[in-house]
Amino acid sequence: MLNFDYENRTRIIFGKGKQAMVGELIKPYGNKILFHYGGESIKKSGLYDEVRSALEAAGVSYVELGGVKPNPRLSLVREGIRICREEGIDFILAVGGGSVIDSAKAIALGVLYDGDIWDYFLTKKPAGKVLDLATILTLPATGSESSDSVVISQEETQLKMGYHSDKIRPVFSIMNPELYFTLPKNQIANGVCDMMSHILERYFTTTVKADVTDGLCESTLKAIMKNALILNRNHKDYDAWAEVAFAGTIAHNGLLGLGRAQDWACHKMEHELSAIYDVAHGAGLAVLTPSWMRYVYKTNINMFVQFAVNVMGVEGTYRDPDAIVNEGIDRLERFFITIGLPITLRELGMDDSNLELMAKKATWYSDGKETPVGGFQKLSWKDILEIYKMAQ
Amino acid sequence: MLNFDYENRTRIIFGKGKQAMVGELIKPYGNKILFHYGGESIKKSGLYDEVRSALEAAGVSYVELGGVKPNPRLSLVREGIRICREEGIDFILAVGGGSVIDSAKAIALGVLYDGDIWDYFLTKKPAGKVLDLATILTLPATGSESSDSVVISQEETQLKMGYHSDKIRPVFSIMNPELYFTLPKNQIANGVCDMMSHILERYFTTTVKADVTDGLCESTLKAIMKNALILNRNHKDYDAWAEVAFAGTIAHNGLLGLGRAQDWACHKMEHELSAIYDVAHGAGLAVLTPSWMRYVYKTNINMFVQFAVNVMGVEGTYRDPDAIVNEGIDRLERFFITIGLPITLRELGMDDSNLELMAKKATWYSDGKETPVGGFQKLSWKDILEIYKMAQ
């Protein structure tokens, strides 16, 4: 196990009807808040009105900023920062999925910063003073409700960049499985794939010994798959949603990667897809992950045998480890298909015209120089191009 | 899954040599601290000198209070509270195992409280303002380094009482596996049993569906047993210690019980043992847990089949679920024997003279009235007496 230093302040308030507490929960933190959200879905569902009532009942005044889109945009973040400064906002409430929460995190990071918010994403410099934020999660997927990370897209340059800081973990997040009953099937599937990927990126490691987190990763992956199949038949199963939503938080709150070298190649490769094609992050991951696995598994075949046996339930008594691994990857791919995910770039509507560009962008390739991607196996742009081609 | 509300502020700093950071880590919290510890072991190991140097280098002044004994005493807690008040102490550093940390938690709870500290344990009333505390863990076992709980013994009345509050979670805990190399074999085994019991008390539940935490519990139990056997052969195996120590924290930081009805009968029954006989908590749990399992398993035999198969590796294809369960419990008992734990009350030096007294104390039995114990199956004093007898 590697050394680690872990702290996660996010309070998780989990269960039916808990969104009604939001006003009282915010009171100790904020006098005037930014109520940040996406499109019309929270208005249709009634959540928008519930939140407004709760804030008003608690005497918390607020300014609204809706309009967050998937792959949240830098332009709206800048607008949010401007509003917060003009209105003297001291706290942000994000009501939505990962995009809304990430947009809120970036605004929280920028309000009290003298320079331009994009600096943080380009330089990865330590966060200064940050506004506190909280969330009501409406789409379990990204784990942003208790993670230290934020991903923002710059529209003009088609750059999608991440940033990490413990300071942008929400102070609390409210999770009510009933809020997820109305999600469309493709969003459920994308979310499931995103959270599985958060675990797989941590699981495949060069760290030789990490039994506890190996087991936490494996058992959480199995619980997600089991309950995703239940949701695939009945998207209003409270218990299945509770398991999937809770797993989504655990998948990305940092715990499952403690003391482990991590990978993150699939996320980097996928960010290039969604930056150019604006595809759903989870769908992109479903396409790339099996190909990545087939490309890299010989680097540490034992780790992939363990995955195939412990997670995908392949019988571990075969003679041939390659056969075990390939059966495990095939089963993962079949699981993705079952819940309605794409497994090829073509299904995402992509041809091969940008593969080399994306592979080079992923590694910052320029004048023969590049930054290899991935902790499990270092990938050059040529490796990534191969993986993109395998995923076509 | 049941509703839950979870927050855990404890920062975990994990790895070789991390105790050298303690002075700098405390600086933002405390000007004058209580340095609380047990006996001579930290002096022999050199840790005592290391801590003093680190505090002095950081300019943190301190008052020492050693002398914490296993099953930490109310009398020393009261002395600690008196010292903190007289000396104007604003932070407590516990350097030791669970007893030292629990003693520090009780002191932290009492310093700013007007009444007598024992009130909290008797009434369970909400904590008022509490001093911050931190720990350097020297014995992985109780999980107190990031738990919300404290257990203190009242010598005169032979009462051993617990208390819970998020306010007594340490602000940080330093865990260095190298500090555990010198622990004697029986303390390792007791610690392993204690952390396993923390998981088992959460695992056996009346909550029908809890896949994620089922899996977290099962995988953590397996990782503990695997690595405890390695330590049994080589008590200086860094990697095995890292796994066991990290698992001990996870076992009792609250995560594994989220959304689950919990049991805690074995802990309650064991507290009566150690209150009268001053036996090691882990040893008492090793004796009682298998008997408790045999006594209650028919309440939900499926849960125990799952335990036998998923944790103890019993083949799940037998015809007879009772046989599977009993094989699972037998394997757990054999594991305890292998690492040197007692499995009978006789081995703890106890005869049957206090069994009825302890069973009645466990349920507060008085004038025919009692408070049943345990969430998985409610146990009367007569049930508990049966379990004590089975464990003889």
Side-chain angles (χ1 to χ4, degrees):
Chain A
M1 195 189 297
L2 307 180
N3 293 352
F4 68 81
D5 186 342
Y6 181 64
E7 183 174 15
N8 187 336
R9 65 170 176 175
T10 307
R11 175 179 171 192
I12 303 287
I13 298 140
F14 195 101
K16 291 183 193 187
K18 295 296 182 187
Q19 65 273 16
M21 297 168 64
V22 70
E24 290 303 321
L25 286 166
I26 287 178
K27 238 171 143 177
Y29 295 102
N31 294 311
K32 188 173 182 185
I33 74 163
L34 185 73
F35 171 14
H36 198 35
Y37 57 91
E40 293 301 303
S41 64
I42 65 164
K43 292 186 178 167
K44 276 187 214 148
S45 72
L47 181 59
Y48 172 82
D49 288 330
E50 274 189 281
V51 170
R52 295 211 318 172
S53 302
L55 293 174
E56 282 157 21
V60 174
S61 70
Y62 58 91
V63 175
E64 287 185 36
L65 179 63
V68 181
K69 294 199 170 64
N71 298 315
R73 311 299 202 275
L74 181 59
S75 53
L76 191 70
V77 168
R78 288 195 172 123
E79 190 184 337
I81 291 169
R82 183 185 57 73
I83 292 170
C84 287
R85 286 175 182 162
E86 282 175 14
E87 299 276 348
I89 299 285
D90 55 7
F91 188 89
I92 302 174
L93 173 65
V95 180
S99 297
V100 175
I101 299 171
D102 278 14
S103 185
K105 284 176 170 177
I107 295 169
L109 192 60
V111 174
L112 304 172
Y113 173 59
D114 282 340
D116 179 67
I117 178 64
W118 199 235
D119 294 351
Y120 280 116
F121 293 83
L122 292 172
T123 65
K124 316 293 181 197
K125 66 179 181 175
K129 209 165 154 42
V130 170
L131 289 194
D132 280 335
L133 75 148
T135 87
I136 300 176
L137 184 69
T138 61
L139 169 56
T142 70
S144 193
E145 66 276 8
S146 83
S147 79
D148 67 350
S149 65
V150 50
V151 180
I152 296 292
S153 295
Q154 222 287 24
E155 303 93 309
E156 300 86 48
T157 55
Q158 295 184 322
L159 275 178
K160 187 170 176 175
M161 306 272 291
Y163 180 76
H164 295 263
S165 168
D166 276 328
K167 292 185 181 177
I168 57 172
R169 291 190 197 267
V171 293
F172 68 82
S173 285
I174 294 174
M175 299 171 68
N176 172 2
E178 291 179 324
L179 297 178
Y180 316 140
F181 287 1
T182 53
L183 286 169
K185 211 159 185 169
N186 68 323
Q187 284 193 27
I188 301 174
N190 292 341
V192 162
C193 187
D194 192 19
M195 55 183 76
M196 288 180 69
S197 180
H198 290 152
I199 302 176
L200 294 169
E201 299 278 22
R202 292 175 165 92
Y203 181 68
F204 291 105
T205 182
T206 54
T207 305
V208 176
K209 167 116 177 154
D211 295 328
V212 172
T213 44
D214 274 6
L216 299 181
C217 289
E218 291 164 359
S219 64
T220 308
L221 283 167
K222 283 193 288 187
I224 292 171
M225 287 190 286
K226 175 180 172 184
N227 287 284
L229 292 173
I230 297 171
L231 292 178
N232 197 46
R233 292 189 299 271
N234 173 14
H235 62 100
K236 293 188 176 183
D237 187 306
Y238 181 92
D239 287 326
W241 264 125
E243 298 299 323
V244 168
F246 182 38
T249 302
I250 290 174
H252 205 39
N253 70 3
L255 175 73
L256 271 48
L258 293 180
R260 304 173 76 90
Q262 303 178 19
D263 188 66
W264 297 99
C266 288
H267 265 68
K268 189 78 191 77
M269 292 189 292
E270 197 293 311
H271 283 178
E272 301 311 324
L273 262 58
S274 46
I276 295 184
Y277 294 93
D278 206 21
V279 302
H281 179 50
L285 288 166
V287 169
L288 294 175
T289 301
S291 294
W292 172 82
M293 288 179 162
R294 292 187 183 105
Y295 191 79
V296 305
Y297 80 82
K298 286 183 202 289
T299 295
N300 180 355
I301 194 167
N302 292 336
M303 177 98 238
F304 274 87
V305 169
Q306 184 180 326
F307 167 75
V309 173
N310 290 0
V311 180
M312 302 312 301
V314 179
E315 294 290 328
T317 49
Y318 293 12
R319 290 279 162 78
D320 177 8
D322 291 87
I324 296 174
V325 170
N326 282 302
E327 172 65 19
I329 299 170
D330 290 347
R331 286 189 188 191
L332 178 66
E333 211 164 51
R334 284 199 296 273
F335 166 77
F336 288 156
I337 293 169
T338 304
I339 63 169
L341 286 164
I343 57 158
T344 63
L345 293 175
R346 276 188 204 89
E347 289 169 86
L348 291 176
M350 293 173 52
D351 59 21
D352 61 1
S353 55
N354 283 310
L355 299 186
E356 189 173 318
L357 171 67
M358 293 191 300
K360 286 182 170 172
K361 274 181 73 190
T363 58
W364 296 87
Y365 179 89
S366 168
D367 295 332
K369 282 182 195 149
E370 59 184 344
T371 307
V373 166
F376 182 76
Q377 180 182 320
K378 293 278 172 218
L379 303 174
S380 68
W381 76 265
K382 287 182 181 168
D383 293 317
I384 293 174
L385 181 60
E386 281 308 304
I387 293 168
Y388 283 147
K389 284 181 178 170
M390 288 165 70
Q392 275 193 294
Chain B
M1 195 189 298
L2 306 180
N3 293 353
F4 67 80
D5 186 342
Y6 181 65
E7 183 175 14
N8 187 335
R9 65 171 177 177
T10 307
R11 175 179 171 192
I12 303 288
I13 299 139
F14 195 101
K16 291 184 191 185
K18 295 296 182 187
Q19 65 274 15
M21 294 168 67
V22 70
E24 290 301 322
L25 286 167
I26 287 178
K27 238 172 144 177
Y29 295 101
N31 293 309
K32 189 173 182 185
I33 73 163
L34 185 73
F35 171 13
H36 199 35
Y37 56 91
E40 293 301 304
S41 64
I42 66 163
K43 291 186 178 168
K44 277 187 211 148
S45 72
L47 181 59
Y48 172 82
D49 288 330
E50 274 188 279
V51 170
R52 296 212 318 173
S53 302
L55 293 174
E56 282 157 19
V60 175
S61 71
Y62 57 91
V63 175
E64 286 185 38
L65 178 63
V68 181
K69 294 200 171 64
N71 299 318
R73 310 302 202 273
L74 181 60
S75 54
L76 191 70
V77 168
R78 289 195 171 123
E79 191 183 337
I81 291 169
R82 184 186 55 76
I83 292 171
C84 286
R85 288 174 181 163
E86 283 176 16
E87 298 275 349
I89 298 286
D90 54 7
F91 188 91
I92 303 174
L93 173 65
V95 180
S99 297
V100 175
I101 298 171
D102 278 13
S103 185
K105 283 177 170 176
I107 295 169
L109 192 60
V111 173
L112 304 173
Y113 174 59
D114 282 341
D116 180 64
I117 178 64
W118 198 235
D119 294 349
Y120 280 115
F121 293 83
L122 292 173
T123 66
K124 317 293 181 198
K125 66 178 181 177
K129 210 166 151 42
V130 170
L131 288 193
D132 280 335
L133 74 148
T135 87
I136 300 175
L137 184 69
T138 62
L139 170 56
T142 70
S144 194
E145 67 276 9
S146 83
S147 79
D148 66 350
S149 65
V150 49
V151 181
I152 296 292
S153 295
Q154 220 290 23
E155 304 92 310
E156 301 86 47
T157 55
Q158 294 183 325
L159 275 179
K160 187 170 177 177
M161 305 273 289
Y163 180 77
H164 295 263
S165 168
D166 276 328
K167 292 186 181 176
I168 57 172
R169 291 191 197 267
V171 292
F172 68 82
S173 285
I174 295 174
M175 299 172 67
N176 172 2
E178 291 179 325
L179 297 178
Y180 316 140
F181 287 1
T182 53
L183 287 170
K185 211 158 186 167
N186 68 323
Q187 284 193 24
I188 301 174
N190 291 342
V192 162
C193 187
D194 192 17
M195 57 183 75
M196 288 179 69
S197 179
H198 290 153
I199 303 176
L200 295 169
E201 299 277 23
R202 291 176 166 92
Y203 181 68
F204 291 106
T205 182
T206 53
T207 305
V208 176
K209 167 113 178 158
D211 294 328
V212 172
T213 45
D214 274 6
L216 299 179
C217 288
E218 290 165 0
S219 64
T220 308
L221 283 167
K222 283 193 289 187
I224 292 170
M225 287 191 285
K226 175 180 171 184
N227 287 285
L229 292 173
I230 297 171
L231 292 178
N232 198 45
R233 293 189 300 269
N234 173 15
H235 62 99
K236 293 187 177 182
D237 186 306
Y238 181 92
D239 287 325
W241 263 125
E243 299 298 325
V244 168
F246 182 38
T249 301
I250 290 174
H252 205 39
N253 69 4
L255 175 73
L256 271 48
L258 293 180
R260 305 172 74 91
Q262 303 179 19
D263 188 68
W264 297 100
C266 288
H267 265 68
K268 189 77 191 80
M269 292 189 292
E270 197 294 311
H271 285 177
E272 302 310 324
L273 260 60
S274 47
I276 295 183
Y277 293 94
D278 207 20
V279 301
H281 178 51
L285 289 166
V287 169
L288 295 176
T289 301
S291 294
W292 171 82
M293 289 179 163
R294 293 186 182 105
Y295 191 79
V296 304
Y297 80 83
K298 286 183 203 289
T299 295
N300 180 355
I301 194 166
N302 292 337
M303 177 99 238
F304 274 87
V305 169
Q306 184 180 326
F307 167 75
V309 173
N310 289 1
V311 180
M312 302 312 300
V314 179
E315 294 289 329
T317 49
Y318 294 11
R319 291 278 162 80
D320 177 8
D322 291 87
I324 296 174
V325 170
N326 282 303
E327 172 65 18
I329 299 170
D330 289 349
R331 286 190 189 191
L332 178 66
E333 208 164 54
R334 285 200 296 274
F335 166 77
F336 287 156
I337 293 169
T338 304
I339 63 169
L341 285 164
I343 56 158
T344 62
L345 293 174
R346 278 189 204 88
E347 290 170 85
L348 292 176
M350 292 172 53
D351 59 22
D352 60 2
S353 54
N354 284 311
L355 299 187
E356 190 173 317
L357 171 67
M358 294 190 301
K360 287 183 170 173
K361 274 182 71 191
T363 57
W364 296 88
Y365 179 89
S366 167
D367 295 331
K369 284 185 194 144
E370 60 185 343
T371 307
V373 167
F376 182 77
Q377 181 182 321
K378 294 278 171 217
L379 303 173
S380 68
W381 77 264
K382 285 182 182 168
D383 293 316
I384 294 175
L385 181 60
E386 281 308 304
I387 293 169
Y388 283 147
K389 283 181 179 169
M390 287 166 70
Q392 274 192 295

